[in-house]
Amino acid sequence: MSSPISIVLIEDSEDDYILTEEALSEGLAGTDYSLQWLDHAPDPDLFLEQYDPDVILIDYSLGAVNGVDFARDIRERNAFVSIILLTGLSARVFEEVDQQVEGVGISDFFPKKEVSGATLSRSVRYAYENSIQRRQLQEQAATIEDILLRTEVVMWRESKLSDQEGWECFCSDSIQKLSGYSKQEFIRRRMQLIDLVAASDCERVRKAYSEAPSGELKLRYRIICYDQSERWVEETRETIRDPDSGEILKVVGCLRDITREIESESMQQLMAKSLDQSSDAILITDANLERPGPKILYVNKAICRMSGYSESELLGQSPRIFQGPKTNRKVLNRLRSKLLAGDNFQGMTTNYRKDGSEYILSWRISPVVDSSGQVTHYVSTQTNVTQEIRQREKLKEQENFLSEIGSMAKVGGWRYRKSTDHLYWTDQIYEIHAMPVGTPISIDDALSLYSKVDQLALKNAWHTCLDEGVPYGLTLEMRDRRGEHKWCHTQGVPMWVNGEIEGVWGVCQDVTESRKRSLELEQALRDANHANEAKNQFLMMMSHELRTPLNPIIGFAELMLSETTDPEQCAFLKQIQFSATHLVELIGEILDIASIESGRIKLESKAFSVSALIHEIIEMFQPSAQEKALSLEYLDAAHGDSDTPLICVGDESKIRQILINLLNNAIKFTHEGTVRVELLPPALNASEVDVTVLVRDTGIGIRAENLDSIFDRFYQVDQSASRKYEGQGIGLNLCRELAELMGGTIHVGSEFGVGSVFTLKLKLPRHVPEGPEPRSEGANTCLEERGQVLVVEDDAMNRLVISELLQSLSITHVLAEDGFEALHYIESERFYLVLMDIQMPKLNGIETTRRIRSGTSPNSHVPIVALSAHVVDDIKKEAIEVGMNDFLEKPITLSKLRTFFEQTLF
Ligand code: ADP
């Protein structure tokens, strides 16, 4: 059922109202309608809201209000209501009003006097139908607007304004949702779509518009919305041009927001690009797991690079194309069952390239599921891990190697981190400590295995390393978990991280074996040293014991020689003298070697003339040279033109010993020709002298192959039983030891059958003499005039021989048997010199000297010269320390005694 026609009459005259009311009731009889009467023009908004009329009948003149103006107000607010204007004006004025009414949207206008039931009802009916149609149109338009709003499509129309002032653009309401501008704003501001286009697209769009032929055109561009945001739109436009001039008359079209499409399009493009350019190889197949297997639908470039196949060679194939003999079937079976269960799969196996070469592939396959839960595809991400696997294998091999070495060397590594308070041990360290590998271990556990003392040392070292970064290395005694006694050497260094000490790490080695060996060695060395010491003690004692009886043998032989004229007896005595002297020398040499070995030998520092020393030795050897008819020469080039003798500071007796040995050998091994000693011009500087002495002979020479060995101890070139040269092979060895002890060298040069030359080189401090020379001939005074000598000697034979010797030199002397007797003499008589034996029973020479020196007798400063068969440096040193002035070695010979008295300045 249709609703009643709602009619509102706005009429200020009640009569006219009644007239109109009667006309309507007559004309609309049988029609459902309502009539409301208002006697003035109301507020249009309130009016429309309150009455919502279908037809408004309005008087032209409503007092001050013009009915046409009111009708215009209503029309602006409502496009559908029908307005009928009634007027009581004259025909002339009526024509004027008729013109005013144009464009206001009034459906009918007639004079009141023409109002009748028939005319008015016809006009009202017509107006009502119009209103209904317009309402329907409005509803349709609203529906379209709604659709447009929902679909976010904007319908629009641009038409050229007739006044040539521009264009008018009508848009659907949805323009507001799209652009933020309302359709009214478009009209009010005379906006066109081009006004929305973003500057960057504007030129392109304008060009397209102007060039667009009649018909449809699609364009995509960006617009700038009211809130300045940017959106993508797609415009479809239909251009209507003047067929003659080609001028654009009208454009209609629609606009669609495609921002999201564009975004998702570019996202899709990005994803496609990412997939394609991904360094991970990606392969997509369909979900067919049955024979012939899933079909490859997509491969990215990395797959092609990795496999050597092109995209077209792979698409449509099954991934079996990559498999080969080494491809692990078990892995493939696992893959299949996982995929059948709809699970992800991760695995590794060998694949094959197009050229047949192998590579190890790690791959992960995930099923793609559609909205119904059905697996539609498989996506596989693949990585070539050949390098990593090979490196891992290599690393594993190295680790095993290191571990093997560690086991062999019983050495392992450890690491402690402060931050985690965690101590890590390698397997070898567990082995060393006899603990199951992997047992959790704390610092205290580790420490508890060491001995108490070592625990403390290790704790200290550990904390110093951890706090101050000081590395350590300790050999520690421990008991392993099985209680086995062990030694291990542990080293720790700080672990620096970003300039901070994060912990300590290091190595630990089981050194039990080497420690045991070194302890054994140390013990063996101690034993050897004791044995050596015992040997040296024995040698010293033997030397003393042997020299003591030799002293009288040599002395008496010498004395008898001076008194005997019988040539046969002379020869025997000489033989006795020679053999005894040789024996003494031998004892001396053995003792010297023993002293050097035990480090007992001390060097003396006394000023002496090298030239004078060589002279003395040459003199000594003249007789034996003459005996062999050899010429013994001395070439002294030390002084040059200077008269000043060259005085050095050093151990004269040791240099003498070396030169005697060399000269002795030279004479021994030379049968004809010359033995010559040369003192080369020394290289001098303010404080030192380079002394070079050559001992040259024209003897048997030494073969080149023996030259290196002759300085070895007990070495002799001719070792056969029928040797014609006596000797023990000690001399040269002693010479070299002594030379080296003094910081010098000794070398040999020789030509077999031609001769040899031995060169002694020494660097000695230079002595600048202040007083008289040490070897001056100052002792001119007659020996017997000097006063009497006290001889202290416990051995009766020695006393006798010394006494005889002194007597033969006309030196008055007194003999004392021991120290006490000597002290007695010292107290009671005056002496020029004391010759004091060292080793004596009761009171020995050292003690006797100490007492003399500390006594108050006039003899307390008397020169005391030791007379001893003890020739080791220690005893000499002790003798000098207690105040003895010099040392005379036994056996004492006449010549030795004479030289002593002649040269001593006491
Ligand atoms: P020895 O007591 O046997 O002489 P040395 O140590 O003095 O012991 O000498 C070792 C060896 O060197 C001698 O046995 C000899 O063979 C050789 N030798 C030493 N000096 C000479 C030399 N001047 N001429 C030839 N051979 C020499």
Side-chain angles (χ1 to χ4, degrees), residues 582 589 661-662 664-670 695 697 699-702 706 709-718 723 725-735 748 750 755-758:
H582 182 67
E589 282 176 352
N661 257 302
L662 296 179
N664 190 39
N665 278 347
I667 290 171
K668 185 160 68 175
F669 295 108
T670 305
V695 178
D697 65 54
I700 59 169
I702 305 161
N706 295 326
S709 317
I710 60 161
F711 289 101
D712 294 348
R713 191 172 300 166
F714 305 123
Y715 180 84
Q716 291 173 308
V717 172
D718 178 5
R723 256 181 338 121
Y725 306 101
E726 47 198 44
Q728 287 69 36
I730 299 175
L732 285 182
N733 177 259
L734 182 64
C735 287
V748 63
S750 186
S756 312
V757 54
F758 285 80

Side-chain angles (χ1 to χ4, degrees), residues 46-57:
L46 288 174
F47 166 76
L48 285 171
E49 199 185 317
Q50 191 179 344
Y51 294 96
D52 190 21
D54 296 317
V55 180
I56 304 170
L57 298 173

Side-chain angles (χ1 to χ4, degrees), residues 597-839:
E597 264 183 7
S598 63
R600 266 180 227 271
I601 203 150
K602 299 280 172 340
L603 293 174
E604 277 181 9
S605 280
K606 261 192 190 168
F608 72 100
S609 155
V610 183
S611 258
L613 173 66
I614 299 174
H615 261 297
E616 179 195 319
I617 297 167
I618 293 276
E619 281 308 305
M620 213 169 115
F621 279 96
Q622 271 314 344
S624 37
Q626 277 163 15
E627 235 172 69
K628 291 185 80 176
L630 299 174
S631 151
L632 178 56
E633 298 170 0
Y634 175 33
L635 192 73
D636 183 357
H639 300 150
D641 298 337
S642 154
D643 286 342
T644 328
L646 178 67
I647 307 296
C648 305
V649 176
D651 196 325
E652 185 186 9
S653 70
K654 305 242 167 14
I655 300 169
R656 177 188 285 117
Q657 217 173 331
I658 295 173
L659 292 174
I660 286 176
N661 257 302
L662 296 179
L663 214 58
N664 190 39
N665 278 347
I667 290 171
K668 185 160 68 175
F669 295 108
T670 305
H671 303 303
E672 54 182 15
T674 312
V675 170
R676 194 166 69 205
V677 181
E678 295 171 21
L679 176 60
L680 298 190
L684 299 176
N685 65 29
S687 58
E688 282 182 327
V689 189
D690 278 326
V691 177
T692 309
V693 185
L694 270 60
V695 178
R696 224 182 259 284
D697 65 54
T698 53
I700 59 169
I702 305 161
R703 286 182 205 276
E705 65 265 28
N706 295 326
L707 279 177
D708 282 346
S709 317
I710 60 161
F711 289 101
D712 294 348
R713 191 172 300 166
F714 305 123
Y715 180 84
Q716 291 173 308
V717 172
D718 178 5
Q719 289 179 331
S720 65
S722 58
R723 256 181 338 121
K724 41 179 196 248
Y725 306 101
E726 47 198 44
Q728 287 69 36
I730 299 175
L732 285 182
N733 177 259
L734 182 64
C735 287
R736 191 181 60 184
E737 298 266 2
L738 288 173
E740 285 174 1
L741 194 70
M742 290 186 281
T745 56
I746 186 159
H747 292 288
V748 63
S750 186
E751 200 176 328
F752 186 66
V754 177
S756 312
V757 54
F758 285 80
T759 309
L760 170 69
K761 283 191 176 193
L762 294 169
K763 195 184 273 294
L764 298 172
R766 193 175 177 191
H767 175 75
V768 183
E770 288 166 4
E773 289 308 312
R775 293 289 171 94
S776 74
E777 302 301 319
N780 280 338
T781 353
C782 214
L783 295 180
E784 58 269 32
E785 285 171 14
R786 294 190 194 173
Q788 64 174 348
V789 171
L790 172 62
V791 178
V792 191
E793 168 65 67
D794 65 317
D795 186 272
M797 289 303 272
N798 275 325
R799 256 198 326 274
L800 187 58
V801 76
I802 293 168
S803 175
E804 290 293 334
L805 291 172
L806 287 173
Q807 224 170 327
S808 72
L809 290 173
S810 311
I811 294 172
T812 48
H813 57 279
V814 174
L815 296 170
E817 279 183 27
D818 57 43
F820 289 114
E821 200 180 340
L823 288 174
H824 170 74
Y825 280 121
I826 288 287
E827 289 298 319
S828 49
E829 292 181 37
R830 184 93 180 139
F831 295 101
Y832 147 67
L833 184 80
V834 179
L835 293 176
M836 176 86 72
D837 185 19
I838 297 232
Q839 193 170 329

Side-chain angles (χ1 to χ4, degrees), residues 409-412 429 432 487-491 507-512:
K410 296 187 178 176
V411 60
I429 303 240
I432 292 171
W487 289 91
C488 61
H489 184 76
T490 181
Q491 273 177 282
V507 290
C508 174
Q509 184 175 20
D510 182 344
V511 292
T512 313

Side-chain angles (χ1 to χ4, degrees), residues 37 93 118 211 364 408 460 500 605 648 652 655 721 763 791 824 848 883 899:
W37 174 47
V93 180
E211 288 171 2
R364 190 188 161 83
M408 275 193 265
N460 280 342
E500 298 279 326
S605 280
C648 305
E652 185 186 9
I655 300 169
K763 195 184 273 294
V791 178
H824 170 74
T848 311
T899 313

Side-chain angles (χ1 to χ4, degrees), residues 346-484:
Q346 195 160 7
M348 207 186 320
T349 191
T350 304
N351 264 17
Y352 290 82
R353 293 191 186 84
K354 186 181 172 185
D355 64 8
S357 58
E358 299 167 11
Y359 59 100
I360 301 172
L361 186 78
S362 161
W363 87 120
R364 190 188 161 83
I365 303 181
S366 313
V368 179
V369 180
D370 66 9
S371 53
S372 66
Q374 204 60 38
V375 175
T376 57
H377 297 88
Y378 293 112
V379 178
S380 153
T381 326
Q382 315 188 339
T383 315
N384 181 349
V385 291
T386 316
Q387 289 274 359
E388 282 99 313
I389 296 292
R390 299 275 181 265
Q391 264 167 10
R392 220 182 292 165
E393 282 168 5
K394 219 173 183 177
L395 218 68
K396 189 79 207 149
E397 196 182 296
Q398 277 172 359
E399 248 173 46
N400 289 343
F401 175 64
L402 279 177
S403 170
E404 280 296 312
I405 288 181
S407 288
M408 275 193 265
K410 296 187 178 176
V411 60
W414 54 267
R415 185 181 60 216
Y416 170 75
R417 280 184 192 281
K418 248 193 229 175
S419 52
T420 52
D421 189 29
H422 179 249
L423 179 63
Y424 166 77
W425 279 3
T426 60
D427 297 357
Q428 288 77 25
I429 303 240
Y430 279 105
E431 244 172 66
I432 292 171
H433 292 80
M435 286 169 73
V437 172
T439 316
I441 181 93
S442 72
I443 303 285
D444 289 339
D445 288 342
L447 276 172
S448 69
L449 298 167
Y450 295 94
S451 72
K452 284 273 175 290
V453 182
D454 284 352
Q455 269 184 37
L456 207 68
L458 183 55
K459 244 188 205 170
N460 280 342
W462 168 271
H463 284 299
T464 323
C465 185
L466 204 57
D467 300 338
E468 295 161 32
V470 182
Y472 66 84
L474 296 168
T475 301
L476 307 166
E477 205 174 354
M478 62 169 276
R479 285 204 179 274
D480 68 15
R481 271 284 153 88
R482 284 195 293 265
E484 197 180 316

